[in-house]
Amino acid sequence: MKVYNQRIELPVLQEKGVSLFVKREDLIHPFISGNKFRKLTYNLSEAKRLGHDTLLTFGGAFSNHIAATAYAGKEHGLKSIGIIRGDELVDHWQDNPTLAWAKEQGMQFKFVSREAYRSKESPEFLEQLKQEFGSFYCIPEGGANALAVKGCEEILTEEDSVFDVICVCVGTGGTIAGLINSSMIHQKVLGFPALKGDFLRKDICKFAQRENWDLNTQYHFGGYGKVTKELIDFINDFKSKTSIPLDPVYTGKMLFGILELVRKDYFEPKTKILAIHSGGLQGIAGMNIVLKKKNLPLIEL
């Protein structure tokens, strides 16, 4: 299905004189969703150019990137290996919807402790992986490298030049860097980090070529993967009113933040906002398992 910009019709937007559209990048591919498709496109081409037959990457138990890499590897005839954060999962990964699905696509797992995972970018750790698995094409956690940024630079099109503000959720920083690089001179790019803290600016600056951007760190809801009843209620209500599904880790928090800022008059009247829907909907099934255990409302699929 073709990606398109969907106008959001909500009373608060009309009241404040602000227009909001959502770029439906979640529709770009049935299984490799949103920014993961963009990030993997040039990495897959590079892996093939270099003659690799195996992809190796990193992620947590509910990682969108792990799921996308597994399917992309299968689709392109490449083997895939996922280095998974948390060795407590080694005996019951089958109970995790994301990992079970990635395994169905042919991904091989290596579970490592959280302490070991923190050293995943060290030459020593990568050399150990080469000794164990042989040659592979390495894609960093979240897919954030120069080729991923190049792919994300293609999210914005000429028709998007009418917008004043481009909003995007932020994980590792690759997607927002691509948007910054391809944005127009009159546009501001506003990122909504899913992680607690303000440490991402340094990572974004590695790839961003301009300074027309900022991060709003108020809407992480406690940190990565953390949710509240308020957030779940918002996601379900937003889908009910717009027919757009949101995930609780990234896009739900971003849209909550955008509309809250609209209410607080952060945006001037007549501002045209484009929010990038980066996908990630595969994680809802796993999150609902967590929510059920906590006796919280489930996200409507």
Side-chain angles (χ1 to χ4, degrees), residues 94-127:
Q94 299 93 334
D95 300 328
N96 178 292
T98 298
L99 297 181
W101 192 84
K103 190 71 171 182
E104 285 180 17
Q105 313 316 311
M107 178 171 273
Q108 178 182 353
F109 299 137
K110 178 180 176 64
F111 296 91
V112 300
S113 69
R114 294 169 189 277
E115 181 180 0
Y117 191 85
R118 286 193 283 271
S119 303
K120 62 186 180 297
E121 296 179 358
S122 71
E124 295 80 11
F125 188 76
L126 293 174
E127 183 58 35

PDB file of all heavy atoms in Angstrom, residues 94-127:
ATOM      1  N   GLN A  94      10.297 -18.651  23.163  1.00  0.00           N
ATOM      2  CA  GLN A  94       9.105 -19.023  22.393  1.00  0.00           C
ATOM      3  C   GLN A  94       7.861 -18.293  22.884  1.00  0.00           C
ATOM      4  O   GLN A  94       6.880 -18.162  22.139  1.00  0.00           O
ATOM      5  CB  GLN A  94       8.862 -20.533  22.490  1.00  0.00           C
ATOM      6  CG  GLN A  94       9.992 -21.378  21.929  1.00  0.00           C
ATOM      7  CD  GLN A  94      11.005 -21.788  22.992  1.00  0.00           C
ATOM      8  OE1 GLN A  94      11.157 -21.090  24.005  1.00  0.00           O
ATOM      9  NE2 GLN A  94      11.689 -22.893  22.780  1.00  0.00           N
ATOM     10  N   ASP A  95       7.884 -17.826  24.150  1.00  0.00           N
ATOM     11  CA  ASP A  95       6.737 -17.124  24.712  1.00  0.00           C
ATOM     12  C   ASP A  95       6.688 -15.651  24.304  1.00  0.00           C
ATOM     13  O   ASP A  95       5.726 -14.954  24.621  1.00  0.00           O
ATOM     14  CB  ASP A  95       6.760 -17.208  26.241  1.00  0.00           C
ATOM     15  CG  ASP A  95       6.703 -18.657  26.732  1.00  0.00           C
ATOM     16  OD1 ASP A  95       6.070 -19.481  26.037  1.00  0.00           O
ATOM     17  OD2 ASP A  95       7.297 -18.947  27.787  1.00  0.00           O
ATOM     18  N   ASN A  96       7.731 -15.192  23.632  1.00  0.00           N
ATOM     19  CA  ASN A  96       7.824 -13.800  23.209  1.00  0.00           C
ATOM     20  C   ASN A  96       7.392 -13.694  21.737  1.00  0.00           C
ATOM     21  O   ASN A  96       8.044 -14.271  20.872  1.00  0.00           O
ATOM     22  CB  ASN A  96       9.276 -13.314  23.384  1.00  0.00           C
ATOM     23  CG  ASN A  96       9.471 -11.883  22.930  1.00  0.00           C
ATOM     24  OD1 ASN A  96       9.385 -11.576  21.750  1.00  0.00           O
ATOM     25  ND2 ASN A  96       9.764 -11.002  23.875  1.00  0.00           N
ATOM     26  N   PRO A  97       6.309 -12.967  21.440  1.00  0.00           N
ATOM     27  CA  PRO A  97       5.808 -12.910  20.057  1.00  0.00           C
ATOM     28  C   PRO A  97       6.825 -12.398  19.044  1.00  0.00           C
ATOM     29  O   PRO A  97       6.896 -12.909  17.921  1.00  0.00           O
ATOM     30  CB  PRO A  97       4.605 -11.968  20.162  1.00  0.00           C
ATOM     31  CG  PRO A  97       4.163 -12.052  21.579  1.00  0.00           C
ATOM     32  CD  PRO A  97       5.420 -12.245  22.374  1.00  0.00           C
ATOM     33  N   THR A  98       7.610 -11.393  19.419  1.00  0.00           N
ATOM     34  CA  THR A  98       8.603 -10.840  18.491  1.00  0.00           C
ATOM     35  C   THR A  98       9.677 -11.863  18.157  1.00  0.00           C
ATOM     36  O   THR A  98      10.010 -12.084  16.984  1.00  0.00           O
ATOM     37  CB  THR A  98       9.251  -9.579  19.098  1.00  0.00           C
ATOM     38  OG1 THR A  98       8.244  -8.582  19.302  1.00  0.00           O
ATOM     39  CG2 THR A  98      10.327  -9.023  18.178  1.00  0.00           C
ATOM     40  N   LEU A  99      10.233 -12.504  19.189  1.00  0.00           N
ATOM     41  CA  LEU A  99      11.306 -13.467  18.961  1.00  0.00           C
ATOM     42  C   LEU A  99      10.793 -14.724  18.265  1.00  0.00           C
ATOM     43  O   LEU A  99      11.476 -15.278  17.391  1.00  0.00           O
ATOM     44  CB  LEU A  99      11.976 -13.828  20.288  1.00  0.00           C
ATOM     45  CG  LEU A  99      12.686 -12.672  21.013  1.00  0.00           C
ATOM     46  CD1 LEU A  99      13.331 -13.171  22.296  1.00  0.00           C
ATOM     47  CD2 LEU A  99      13.718 -12.004  20.110  1.00  0.00           C
ATOM     48  N   ALA A 100       9.602 -15.163  18.635  1.00  0.00           N
ATOM     49  CA  ALA A 100       9.031 -16.348  17.985  1.00  0.00           C
ATOM     50  C   ALA A 100       8.832 -16.090  16.495  1.00  0.00           C
ATOM     51  O   ALA A 100       9.113 -16.961  15.656  1.00  0.00           O
ATOM     52  CB  ALA A 100       7.718 -16.728  18.658  1.00  0.00           C
ATOM     53  N   TRP A 101       8.374 -14.894  16.163  1.00  0.00           N
ATOM     54  CA  TRP A 101       8.161 -14.548  14.755  1.00  0.00           C
ATOM     55  C   TRP A 101       9.482 -14.445  14.007  1.00  0.00           C
ATOM     56  O   TRP A 101       9.617 -14.926  12.874  1.00  0.00           O
ATOM     57  CB  TRP A 101       7.384 -13.234  14.660  1.00  0.00           C
ATOM     58  CG  TRP A 101       6.884 -12.953  13.275  1.00  0.00           C
ATOM     59  CD1 TRP A 101       5.744 -13.420  12.697  1.00  0.00           C
ATOM     60  CD2 TRP A 101       7.529 -12.132  12.297  1.00  0.00           C
ATOM     61  NE1 TRP A 101       5.636 -12.938  11.417  1.00  0.00           N
ATOM     62  CE2 TRP A 101       6.706 -12.149  11.140  1.00  0.00           C
ATOM     63  CE3 TRP A 101       8.713 -11.393  12.286  1.00  0.00           C
ATOM     64  CZ2 TRP A 101       7.039 -11.444   9.986  1.00  0.00           C
ATOM     65  CZ3 TRP A 101       9.040 -10.689  11.131  1.00  0.00           C
ATOM     66  CH2 TRP A 101       8.210 -10.714   9.999  1.00  0.00           C
ATOM     67  N   ALA A 102      10.495 -13.804  14.650  1.00  0.00           N
ATOM     68  CA  ALA A 102      11.809 -13.681  14.018  1.00  0.00           C
ATOM     69  C   ALA A 102      12.417 -15.063  13.764  1.00  0.00           C
ATOM     70  O   ALA A 102      13.054 -15.291  12.728  1.00  0.00           O
ATOM     71  CB  ALA A 102      12.739 -12.842  14.898  1.00  0.00           C
ATOM     72  N   LYS A 103      12.218 -15.978  14.708  1.00  0.00           N
ATOM     73  CA  LYS A 103      12.723 -17.344  14.540  1.00  0.00           C
ATOM     74  C   LYS A 103      12.051 -18.021  13.355  1.00  0.00           C
ATOM     75  O   LYS A 103      12.701 -18.756  12.585  1.00  0.00           O
ATOM     76  CB  LYS A 103      12.464 -18.143  15.818  1.00  0.00           C
ATOM     77  CG  LYS A 103      13.156 -19.507  15.847  1.00  0.00           C
ATOM     78  CD  LYS A 103      14.650 -19.350  16.019  1.00  0.00           C
ATOM     79  CE  LYS A 103      15.324 -20.690  16.278  1.00  0.00           C
ATOM     80  NZ  LYS A 103      16.777 -20.551  16.488  1.00  0.00           N
ATOM     81  N   GLU A 104      10.761 -17.790  13.164  1.00  0.00           N
ATOM     82  CA  GLU A 104      10.037 -18.350  12.022  1.00  0.00           C
ATOM     83  C   GLU A 104      10.618 -17.868  10.702  1.00  0.00           C
ATOM     84  O   GLU A 104      10.561 -18.581   9.691  1.00  0.00           O
ATOM     85  CB  GLU A 104       8.560 -17.948  12.090  1.00  0.00           C
ATOM     86  CG  GLU A 104       7.753 -18.696  13.137  1.00  0.00           C
ATOM     87  CD  GLU A 104       6.303 -18.242  13.139  1.00  0.00           C
ATOM     88  OE1 GLU A 104       5.865 -17.614  12.136  1.00  0.00           O
ATOM     89  OE2 GLU A 104       5.616 -18.495  14.145  1.00  0.00           O
ATOM     90  N   GLN A 105      11.196 -16.686  10.712  1.00  0.00           N
ATOM     91  CA  GLN A 105      11.809 -16.148   9.494  1.00  0.00           C
ATOM     92  C   GLN A 105      13.229 -16.666   9.286  1.00  0.00           C
ATOM     93  O   GLN A 105      13.868 -16.330   8.292  1.00  0.00           O
ATOM     94  CB  GLN A 105      11.828 -14.611   9.532  1.00  0.00           C
ATOM     95  CG  GLN A 105      10.524 -13.958   9.939  1.00  0.00           C
ATOM     96  CD  GLN A 105       9.308 -14.552   9.279  1.00  0.00           C
ATOM     97  OE1 GLN A 105       9.269 -14.725   8.058  1.00  0.00           O
ATOM     98  NE2 GLN A 105       8.290 -14.888  10.074  1.00  0.00           N
ATOM     99  N   GLY A 106      13.716 -17.467  10.229  1.00  0.00           N
ATOM    100  CA  GLY A 106      15.033 -18.082  10.076  1.00  0.00           C
ATOM    101  C   GLY A 106      16.141 -17.455  10.884  1.00  0.00           C
ATOM    102  O   GLY A 106      17.306 -17.846  10.758  1.00  0.00           O
ATOM    103  N   MET A 107      15.832 -16.481  11.755  1.00  0.00           N
ATOM    104  CA  MET A 107      16.881 -15.829  12.535  1.00  0.00           C
ATOM    105  C   MET A 107      17.422 -16.757  13.611  1.00  0.00           C
ATOM    106  O   MET A 107      16.679 -17.454  14.295  1.00  0.00           O
ATOM    107  CB  MET A 107      16.363 -14.535  13.174  1.00  0.00           C
ATOM    108  CG  MET A 107      17.397 -13.823  14.042  1.00  0.00           C
ATOM    109  SD  MET A 107      16.884 -12.158  14.587  1.00  0.00           S
ATOM    110  CE  MET A 107      17.433 -11.163  13.189  1.00  0.00           C
ATOM    111  N   GLN A 108      18.737 -16.751  13.736  1.00  0.00           N
ATOM    112  CA  GLN A 108      19.424 -17.490  14.800  1.00  0.00           C
ATOM    113  C   GLN A 108      19.692 -16.526  15.948  1.00  0.00           C
ATOM    114  O   GLN A 108      20.070 -15.374  15.728  1.00  0.00           O
ATOM    115  CB  GLN A 108      20.745 -18.058  14.264  1.00  0.00           C
ATOM    116  CG  GLN A 108      21.580 -18.802  15.287  1.00  0.00           C
ATOM    117  CD  GLN A 108      22.900 -19.301  14.693  1.00  0.00           C
ATOM    118  OE1 GLN A 108      23.123 -19.206  13.482  1.00  0.00           O
ATOM    119  NE2 GLN A 108      23.782 -19.808  15.535  1.00  0.00           N
ATOM    120  N   PHE A 109      19.489 -16.964  17.190  1.00  0.00           N
ATOM    121  CA  PHE A 109      19.664 -16.096  18.343  1.00  0.00           C
ATOM    122  C   PHE A 109      20.917 -16.439  19.140  1.00  0.00           C
ATOM    123  O   PHE A 109      21.325 -17.592  19.224  1.00  0.00           O
ATOM    124  CB  PHE A 109      18.465 -16.207  19.303  1.00  0.00           C
ATOM    125  CG  PHE A 109      17.148 -15.803  18.716  1.00  0.00           C
ATOM    126  CD1 PHE A 109      16.008 -16.558  18.963  1.00  0.00           C
ATOM    127  CD2 PHE A 109      17.036 -14.675  17.928  1.00  0.00           C
ATOM    128  CE1 PHE A 109      14.787 -16.199  18.430  1.00  0.00           C
ATOM    129  CE2 PHE A 109      15.817 -14.303  17.379  1.00  0.00           C
ATOM    130  CZ  PHE A 109      14.695 -15.072  17.633  1.00  0.00           C
ATOM    131  N   LYS A 110      21.483 -15.380  19.722  1.00  0.00           N
ATOM    132  CA  LYS A 110      22.480 -15.536  20.782  1.00  0.00           C
ATOM    133  C   LYS A 110      22.062 -14.598  21.902  1.00  0.00           C
ATOM    134  O   LYS A 110      22.001 -13.377  21.702  1.00  0.00           O
ATOM    135  CB  LYS A 110      23.889 -15.191  20.303  1.00  0.00           C
ATOM    136  CG  LYS A 110      24.950 -15.290  21.415  1.00  0.00           C
ATOM    137  CD  LYS A 110      26.329 -14.931  20.901  1.00  0.00           C
ATOM    138  CE  LYS A 110      27.375 -14.927  22.022  1.00  0.00           C
ATOM    139  NZ  LYS A 110      27.559 -16.266  22.613  1.00  0.00           N
ATOM    140  N   PHE A 111      21.743 -15.157  23.052  1.00  0.00           N
ATOM    141  CA  PHE A 111      21.327 -14.357  24.191  1.00  0.00           C
ATOM    142  C   PHE A 111      22.536 -14.022  25.054  1.00  0.00           C
ATOM    143  O   PHE A 111      23.333 -14.914  25.386  1.00  0.00           O
ATOM    144  CB  PHE A 111      20.284 -15.118  25.014  1.00  0.00           C
ATOM    145  CG  PHE A 111      19.008 -15.378  24.261  1.00  0.00           C
ATOM    146  CD1 PHE A 111      18.844 -16.552  23.531  1.00  0.00           C
ATOM    147  CD2 PHE A 111      17.987 -14.451  24.263  1.00  0.00           C
ATOM    148  CE1 PHE A 111      17.671 -16.792  22.823  1.00  0.00           C
ATOM    149  CE2 PHE A 111      16.807 -14.678  23.559  1.00  0.00           C
ATOM    150  CZ  PHE A 111      16.658 -15.853  22.838  1.00  0.00           C
ATOM    151  N   VAL A 112      22.678 -12.752  25.398  1.00  0.00           N
ATOM    152  CA  VAL A 112      23.814 -12.329  26.214  1.00  0.00           C
ATOM    153  C   VAL A 112      23.299 -11.546  27.417  1.00  0.00           C
ATOM    154  O   VAL A 112      22.208 -10.966  27.388  1.00  0.00           O
ATOM    155  CB  VAL A 112      24.814 -11.469  25.409  1.00  0.00           C
ATOM    156  CG1 VAL A 112      25.371 -12.249  24.228  1.00  0.00           C
ATOM    157  CG2 VAL A 112      24.170 -10.178  24.927  1.00  0.00           C
ATOM    158  N   SER A 113      24.063 -11.535  28.469  1.00  0.00           N
ATOM    159  CA  SER A 113      23.675 -10.785  29.663  1.00  0.00           C
ATOM    160  C   SER A 113      23.616  -9.297  29.349  1.00  0.00           C
ATOM    161  O   SER A 113      24.241  -8.814  28.390  1.00  0.00           O
ATOM    162  CB  SER A 113      24.681 -11.027  30.791  1.00  0.00           C
ATOM    163  OG  SER A 113      25.926 -10.421  30.473  1.00  0.00           O
ATOM    164  N   ARG A 114      22.877  -8.568  30.153  1.00  0.00           N
ATOM    165  CA  ARG A 114      22.762  -7.133  29.944  1.00  0.00           C
ATOM    166  C   ARG A 114      24.115  -6.438  30.103  1.00  0.00           C
ATOM    167  O   ARG A 114      24.404  -5.444  29.437  1.00  0.00           O
ATOM    168  CB  ARG A 114      21.725  -6.555  30.902  1.00  0.00           C
ATOM    169  CG  ARG A 114      20.331  -7.074  30.592  1.00  0.00           C
ATOM    170  CD  ARG A 114      19.302  -6.757  31.650  1.00  0.00           C
ATOM    171  NE  ARG A 114      18.071  -7.476  31.348  1.00  0.00           N
ATOM    172  CZ  ARG A 114      17.135  -7.075  30.507  1.00  0.00           C
ATOM    173  NH1 ARG A 114      17.290  -5.926  29.867  1.00  0.00           N
ATOM    174  NH2 ARG A 114      16.056  -7.799  30.279  1.00  0.00           N
ATOM    175  N   GLU A 115      24.931  -6.976  30.984  1.00  0.00           N
ATOM    176  CA  GLU A 115      26.282  -6.416  31.165  1.00  0.00           C
ATOM    177  C   GLU A 115      27.119  -6.611  29.913  1.00  0.00           C
ATOM    178  O   GLU A 115      27.780  -5.679  29.431  1.00  0.00           O
ATOM    179  CB  GLU A 115      26.962  -7.079  32.365  1.00  0.00           C
ATOM    180  CG  GLU A 115      28.354  -6.530  32.645  1.00  0.00           C
ATOM    181  CD  GLU A 115      29.015  -7.194  33.842  1.00  0.00           C
ATOM    182  OE1 GLU A 115      28.393  -8.089  34.463  1.00  0.00           O
ATOM    183  OE2 GLU A 115      30.162  -6.816  34.149  1.00  0.00           O
ATOM    184  N   ALA A 116      27.097  -7.824  29.359  1.00  0.00           N
ATOM    185  CA  ALA A 116      27.852  -8.106  28.142  1.00  0.00           C
ATOM    186  C   ALA A 116      27.322  -7.291  26.966  1.00  0.00           C
ATOM    187  O   ALA A 116      28.088  -6.835  26.110  1.00  0.00           O
ATOM    188  CB  ALA A 116      27.805  -9.594  27.824  1.00  0.00           C
ATOM    189  N   TYR A 117      26.019  -7.104  26.944  1.00  0.00           N
ATOM    190  CA  TYR A 117      25.387  -6.381  25.842  1.00  0.00           C
ATOM    191  C   TYR A 117      25.890  -4.942  25.758  1.00  0.00           C
ATOM    192  O   TYR A 117      25.985  -4.377  24.662  1.00  0.00           O
ATOM    193  CB  TYR A 117      23.869  -6.403  26.020  1.00  0.00           C
ATOM    194  CG  TYR A 117      23.092  -5.911  24.820  1.00  0.00           C
ATOM    195  CD1 TYR A 117      22.785  -6.767  23.763  1.00  0.00           C
ATOM    196  CD2 TYR A 117      22.645  -4.592  24.744  1.00  0.00           C
ATOM    197  CE1 TYR A 117      22.056  -6.328  22.668  1.00  0.00           C
ATOM    198  CE2 TYR A 117      21.920  -4.140  23.657  1.00  0.00           C
ATOM    199  CZ  TYR A 117      21.628  -5.012  22.623  1.00  0.00           C
ATOM    200  OH  TYR A 117      20.915  -4.564  21.537  1.00  0.00           O
ATOM    201  N   ARG A 118      26.210  -4.369  26.901  1.00  0.00           N
ATOM    202  CA  ARG A 118      26.705  -2.989  26.902  1.00  0.00           C
ATOM    203  C   ARG A 118      28.040  -2.852  26.168  1.00  0.00           C
ATOM    204  O   ARG A 118      28.424  -1.747  25.788  1.00  0.00           O
ATOM    205  CB  ARG A 118      26.828  -2.470  28.339  1.00  0.00           C
ATOM    206  CG  ARG A 118      25.489  -2.148  28.988  1.00  0.00           C
ATOM    207  CD  ARG A 118      25.657  -1.354  30.271  1.00  0.00           C
ATOM    208  NE  ARG A 118      26.093  -2.205  31.371  1.00  0.00           N
ATOM    209  CZ  ARG A 118      25.272  -2.852  32.189  1.00  0.00           C
ATOM    210  NH1 ARG A 118      23.958  -2.746  32.026  1.00  0.00           N
ATOM    211  NH2 ARG A 118      25.739  -3.604  33.162  1.00  0.00           N
ATOM    212  N   SER A 119      28.720  -3.970  25.961  1.00  0.00           N
ATOM    213  CA  SER A 119      30.009  -3.942  25.256  1.00  0.00           C
ATOM    214  C   SER A 119      29.877  -4.369  23.800  1.00  0.00           C
ATOM    215  O   SER A 119      30.861  -4.706  23.149  1.00  0.00           O
ATOM    216  CB  SER A 119      31.004  -4.885  25.957  1.00  0.00           C
ATOM    217  OG  SER A 119      31.174  -4.535  27.310  1.00  0.00           O
ATOM    218  N   LYS A 120      28.642  -4.334  23.281  1.00  0.00           N
ATOM    219  CA  LYS A 120      28.380  -4.899  21.958  1.00  0.00           C
ATOM    220  C   LYS A 120      29.143  -4.220  20.826  1.00  0.00           C
ATOM    221  O   LYS A 120      29.358  -4.823  19.771  1.00  0.00           O
ATOM    222  CB  LYS A 120      26.880  -4.858  21.660  1.00  0.00           C
ATOM    223  CG  LYS A 120      26.278  -3.469  21.613  1.00  0.00           C
ATOM    224  CD  LYS A 120      24.770  -3.537  21.451  1.00  0.00           C
ATOM    225  CE  LYS A 120      24.147  -2.144  21.404  1.00  0.00           C
ATOM    226  NZ  LYS A 120      24.362  -1.396  22.674  1.00  0.00           N
ATOM    227  N   GLU A 121      29.551  -2.967  21.025  1.00  0.00           N
ATOM    228  CA  GLU A 121      30.258  -2.253  19.962  1.00  0.00           C
ATOM    229  C   GLU A 121      31.775  -2.342  20.098  1.00  0.00           C
ATOM    230  O   GLU A 121      32.497  -1.803  19.249  1.00  0.00           O
ATOM    231  CB  GLU A 121      29.820  -0.786  19.946  1.00  0.00           C
ATOM    232  CG  GLU A 121      28.338  -0.603  19.613  1.00  0.00           C
ATOM    233  CD  GLU A 121      27.913   0.851  19.635  1.00  0.00           C
ATOM    234  OE1 GLU A 121      28.769   1.712  19.958  1.00  0.00           O
ATOM    235  OE2 GLU A 121      26.748   1.137  19.343  1.00  0.00           O
ATOM    236  N   SER A 122      32.252  -3.019  21.129  1.00  0.00           N
ATOM    237  CA  SER A 122      33.693  -3.093  21.333  1.00  0.00           C
ATOM    238  C   SER A 122      34.333  -4.053  20.331  1.00  0.00           C
ATOM    239  O   SER A 122      33.726  -5.069  19.949  1.00  0.00           O
ATOM    240  CB  SER A 122      34.012  -3.556  22.757  1.00  0.00           C
ATOM    241  OG  SER A 122      33.677  -4.925  22.920  1.00  0.00           O
ATOM    242  N   PRO A 123      35.555  -3.769  19.882  1.00  0.00           N
ATOM    243  CA  PRO A 123      36.244  -4.665  18.947  1.00  0.00           C
ATOM    244  C   PRO A 123      36.393  -6.077  19.497  1.00  0.00           C
ATOM    245  O   PRO A 123      36.301  -7.061  18.744  1.00  0.00           O
ATOM    246  CB  PRO A 123      37.618  -3.996  18.773  1.00  0.00           C
ATOM    247  CG  PRO A 123      37.384  -2.552  19.088  1.00  0.00           C
ATOM    248  CD  PRO A 123      36.336  -2.556  20.169  1.00  0.00           C
ATOM    249  N   GLU A 124      36.597  -6.191  20.808  1.00  0.00           N
ATOM    250  CA  GLU A 124      36.770  -7.511  21.417  1.00  0.00           C
ATOM    251  C   GLU A 124      35.490  -8.340  21.304  1.00  0.00           C
ATOM    252  O   GLU A 124      35.528  -9.537  20.960  1.00  0.00           O
ATOM    253  CB  GLU A 124      37.161  -7.367  22.893  1.00  0.00           C
ATOM    254  CG  GLU A 124      38.521  -6.719  23.147  1.00  0.00           C
ATOM    255  CD  GLU A 124      38.480  -5.199  23.040  1.00  0.00           C
ATOM    256  OE1 GLU A 124      37.366  -4.626  22.983  1.00  0.00           O
ATOM    257  OE2 GLU A 124      39.571  -4.588  23.000  1.00  0.00           O
ATOM    258  N   PHE A 125      34.357  -7.715  21.570  1.00  0.00           N
ATOM    259  CA  PHE A 125      33.079  -8.427  21.507  1.00  0.00           C
ATOM    260  C   PHE A 125      32.765  -8.837  20.073  1.00  0.00           C
ATOM    261  O   PHE A 125      32.341  -9.974  19.806  1.00  0.00           O
ATOM    262  CB  PHE A 125      31.958  -7.545  22.056  1.00  0.00           C
ATOM    263  CG  PHE A 125      30.641  -8.245  22.206  1.00  0.00           C
ATOM    264  CD1 PHE A 125      30.425  -9.133  23.250  1.00  0.00           C
ATOM    265  CD2 PHE A 125      29.610  -8.032  21.302  1.00  0.00           C
ATOM    266  CE1 PHE A 125      29.209  -9.790  23.399  1.00  0.00           C
ATOM    267  CE2 PHE A 125      28.386  -8.677  21.438  1.00  0.00           C
ATOM    268  CZ  PHE A 125      28.195  -9.560  22.493  1.00  0.00           C
ATOM    269  N   LEU A 126      32.992  -7.937  19.126  1.00  0.00           N
ATOM    270  CA  LEU A 126      32.730  -8.249  17.722  1.00  0.00           C
ATOM    271  C   LEU A 126      33.654  -9.352  17.213  1.00  0.00           C
ATOM    272  O   LEU A 126      33.241 -10.204  16.416  1.00  0.00           O
ATOM    273  CB  LEU A 126      32.891  -6.991  16.873  1.00  0.00           C
ATOM    274  CG  LEU A 126      31.841  -5.886  17.111  1.00  0.00           C
ATOM    275  CD1 LEU A 126      32.188  -4.633  16.336  1.00  0.00           C
ATOM    276  CD2 LEU A 126      30.452  -6.381  16.719  1.00  0.00           C
ATOM    277  N   GLU A 127      34.887  -9.366  17.702  1.00  0.00           N
ATOM    278  CA  GLU A 127      35.824 -10.422  17.297  1.00  0.00           C
ATOM    279  C   GLU A 127      35.362 -11.773  17.832  1.00  0.00           C
ATOM    280  O   GLU A 127      35.469 -12.803  17.128  1.00  0.00           O
ATOM    281  CB  GLU A 127      37.229 -10.101  17.811  1.00  0.00           C
ATOM    282  CG  GLU A 127      38.299 -11.100  17.378  1.00  0.00           C
ATOM    283  CD  GLU A 127      38.413 -11.229  15.880  1.00  0.00           C
ATOM    284  OE1 GLU A 127      38.227 -10.233  15.161  1.00  0.00           O
ATOM    285  OE2 GLU A 127      38.677 -12.372  15.416  1.00  0.00           O
TER     286      GLU A 127
END
